[in-house]
């Protein structure tokens, strides 16, 4: 199924249904990398929340990296 990442920023301090990124996780017991885009909408990212994992068992997040896009002008 589809999982979702929700976020809050300093300019939007409440959970918003439009502040989300959808992705389809693989449930095969292996670690996978997912790249999700959080559009600029504030000066500080305040919170992240994952939802929509509809399987029995445990979900493990090994690492979260937040970076800015590189502009090649």
């Amino acid at each position: 199924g589809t999982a979702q990442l929700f976020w809050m920023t300093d300019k939007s301090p409440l959970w918003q249904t439009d502040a989300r990124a959808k992705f389809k996780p693989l449930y095969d017991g292996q670690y996978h990398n997912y790249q999700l885009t959080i559009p600029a909408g504030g000066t500080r990212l305040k919170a992240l929340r994952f939802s929509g994992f509809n399987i029995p068992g445990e979900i493990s997040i090994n690492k979260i990296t937040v970076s800015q896009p590189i502009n090649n002008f």
Side-chain angles (χ1 to χ4, degrees):
T2 300
Q4 299 176 87
L5 169 66
F6 293 87
W7 58 84
M8 279 194 268
T9 67
D10 58 333
K11 291 185 180 178
S12 180
L14 301 173
W15 296 112
Q16 304 289 328
T17 57
D18 60 340
R20 69 179 177 194
K22 295 180 180 181
F23 64 104
K24 292 187 181 260
L26 298 175
Y27 301 112
D28 61 3
Q30 304 296 314
Y31 279 104
H32 297 281
N33 294 319
Y34 298 95
Q35 183 173 340
L36 306 174
T37 300
I38 299 175
T43 57
R44 183 168 289 155
L45 189 61
K46 298 295 243 176
L48 298 173
R49 184 185 82 203
F50 289 94
S51 72
F53 296 103
N54 295 319
I55 63 163
E58 181 177 306
I59 300 294
S60 175
I61 298 173
N62 188 353
K63 179 172 73 170
I64 294 178
T65 303
V66 178
S67 60
Q68 294 179 331
I70 299 172
N71 293 324
N72 295 321
F73 292 105

